[in-house]
Amino acid sequence: MTSIGGAEMVDWNLAVATATRLVRPGPDVSRDEAREVVAELRRHAKASEEHVRGFTQMGTGEVHDTPVLVVDRPGWVRANVAGFREILKPLLDKMQERRGSTPGGAVLGAVGGKVTGVELGMLLSFLASRVLGQYETFAPASRELPAGESGGGRLLLVAPNIVHVERELDVQPHDFRLWVCLHEETHRTQFSAVPWLRDHLEGEIQSFLGETDVDPMTVLERIREAAQSLSGGRPEGEEEDGGRSFVEIVQTPAQREILGRLTAVMSLLEGHADFVMDGVGPQVVPSVAEIREKFQQRRAKGASRLDMALRKLLGLDAKLRQYRDGERFVRAVVEQVGMDGFNRVWTSPNTLPTKAEIAKPADWVARVHRKSES
């Protein structure tokens, strides 16, 4: 990354160090038990491939070359920092150039990079104890984060978090681990069977970042307005923000439009994974009904008042809605046109549902199927 006086816009190493220092310790397990958990997760991930492909009718006959990585919480942090560093590079380069043209830019860059590194590390430390699994697609291949020969990403399974949740819910560990793998394997199947999906998402994210105003005064003004809204001190005559998060409030109108498209895609991906998990689950996970009920209750209530406040601030409540709304969309479409009919969603970016269609699945069916049949 371009730097001035050796200072980057984000001190990535400090972000990793901060998150690693602050992240909660994992559950208490013996070395033998840890090895057993890792081995079982690898077996379940492998078995999930066949289950997911058979149910979704996606990627059948193809060979997955994306690796499965069972990681601890610091490993998840390092993987995500590598992904953030790659996807944010164009925006941070632009901000670096703007800062370099101002008096004292190098000094501000050094200080700001460390402050941002600490802030990012604090956020990642919060998330690192909550994520069960993730298909990471943006980080470049490295020794620690290998990728398949054809590129793509890697499937991360966060072993300490899976063990923590299975104990918290008091469910059968073997069943819960397979259930989690079914969800995450669906994401790996989505990206490996739909080659254009990764580039499409990256393009949308870069468009979103490209709309970011790098002028500090403009950013500060939007933050001031956001703070007024969140505290109830909106300028007279302005409408309520409808419960939007801080992240949403500081966006420009163009960014909100792009975010609407991204929200629709993420709702589709998450809802599809939940639908597949529920569809395959009864066949291979004996206690799936109990697991599903307890896990849904955990999702809904959050771990604590602080957890709920942070979820709201960061927009993570929207993530929970994505699971619910997306699963409802997938289920409704499959009921109307079957799995083959639903799979037309993967034809091109033009056949992805809009945010409005996620809420009204019949509109997507009418647009995609009637158009193709006319």
Side-chain angles (χ1 to χ4, degrees):
M1 182 181 297
T2 302
S3 61
I4 298 176
E8 292 184 337
M9 292 293 297
V10 179
D11 189 328
W12 299 105
N13 292 333
L14 183 57
V16 171
T18 300
T20 302
R21 184 175 67 254
L22 295 178
V23 71
R24 298 174 182 175
D28 185 20
V29 297
S30 68
R31 181 171 298 181
D32 288 342
E33 185 179 5
R35 289 197 186 102
E36 190 277 330
V37 170
V38 171
E40 185 172 24
L41 287 173
R42 291 188 184 280
R43 291 196 301 271
H44 285 332
K46 181 64 177 177
S48 295
E49 287 188 43
E50 182 178 352
H51 296 316
V52 170
R53 291 184 183 198
F55 183 80
T56 63
Q57 302 169 26
M58 295 174 65
T60 54
E62 298 177 3
V63 177
H64 270 169
D65 68 346
T66 52
V68 176
L69 306 179
V70 182
V71 299
D72 57 11
R73 290 168 178 175
W76 179 87
V77 168
R78 290 191 293 271
N80 277 268
V81 166
F84 287 154
R85 187 170 189 168
E86 184 71 13
I87 201 71
L88 293 174
K89 186 177 186 300
L91 172 64
L92 296 182
D93 281 349
K94 183 169 69 172
M95 295 179 70
Q96 188 80 52
E97 292 174 6
R98 176 72 66 88
R99 177 173 284 174
S101 64
T102 62
V107 175
L108 289 172
V111 175
K114 291 189 179 301
V115 170
T116 307
V118 170
E119 291 173 340
L120 176 59
M122 293 173 65
L123 171 61
L124 289 173
S125 72
F126 169 75
L127 297 174
S129 61
R130 286 157 174 77
V131 177
L132 301 182
Q134 173 186 354
Y135 185 78
E136 204 297 311
T137 185
F138 295 119
S142 65
R143 177 180 297 181
E144 191 173 41
L145 285 173
E149 293 181 2
S150 59
R154 67 287 295 168
L155 180 61
L156 306 177
L157 297 170
V158 191
N161 296 349
I162 294 173
V163 172
H164 171 77
V165 173
E166 71 191 27
R167 290 179 178 179
E168 179 185 316
L169 298 182
D170 191 23
V171 293
Q172 212 285 331
H174 173 86
D175 286 3
F176 183 74
R177 294 167 193 176
L178 177 55
W179 188 72
V180 170
C181 286
L182 289 171
H183 182 101
E184 303 307 333
E185 176 59 36
T186 303
H187 289 316
R188 185 163 71 141
T189 297
Q190 291 163 347
F191 281 90
S192 61
V194 186
W196 54 264
L197 183 57
R198 179 194 180 279
D199 290 341
H200 173 70
L201 273 178
E202 183 175 9
E204 289 282 59
I205 292 170
Q206 292 302 337
S207 295
F208 179 89
L209 296 175
E211 290 293 333
T212 300
D213 194 325
V214 296
D215 176 60
M217 293 306 297
T218 301
V219 174
L220 287 173
E221 178 64 19
R222 291 218 301 274
I223 290 174
R224 183 190 65 80
E225 293 173 356
Q228 286 181 337
S229 177
L230 290 172
S231 65
R234 301 181 318 281
E236 186 177 356
E238 289 190 4
E239 297 180 353
E240 292 279 358
D241 280 291
R244 289 186 289 137
S245 70
F246 176 82
V247 175
E248 293 173 301
I249 293 170
V250 298
Q251 292 159 4
T252 66
Q255 285 177 316
R256 293 191 188 115
E257 182 178 342
I258 298 169
L259 183 65
R261 298 196 298 268
L262 279 169
T263 298
V265 175
M266 297 312 297
S267 296
L268 170 68
L269 298 180
E270 297 293 358
H272 184 233
D274 266 14
F275 176 78
V276 172
M277 190 166 56
D278 286 347
V280 175
Q283 305 169 37
V284 297
V285 182
S287 59
V288 65
E290 177 191 2
I291 291 173
R292 185 66 160 148
E293 180 181 0
K294 290 183 174 180
F295 195 76
Q296 287 289 67
Q297 292 173 354
R298 182 180 186 273
R299 270 183 182 173
K301 70 181 183 180
S304 65
R305 291 184 65 183
L306 175 61
D307 184 66
M308 295 177 69
L310 286 169
R311 280 182 3 192
K312 177 63 181 173
L313 179 66
L314 299 171
L316 298 181
D317 280 347
K319 176 80 167 178
L320 300 181
R321 290 194 297 272
Q322 286 172 10
Y323 287 105
R324 182 181 64 247
D325 297 344
E327 194 274 341
R328 189 179 297 130
F329 168 85
V330 176
R331 185 174 301 280
V333 171
V334 171
E335 287 176 354
Q336 290 184 60
V337 295
M339 189 64 75
D340 279 342
F342 166 78
N343 280 340
R344 291 190 187 181
V345 78
W346 312 116
T347 304
S348 75
N350 293 329
T351 56
L352 291 172
T354 64
K355 190 175 180 180
E357 288 170 341
I358 288 289
K360 296 183 178 180
D363 290 354
W364 179 87
V365 172
R367 176 173 68 86
V368 173
H369 282 265
R370 290 177 187 172
K371 182 177 180 180
S372 62
E373 293 166 3
S374 59

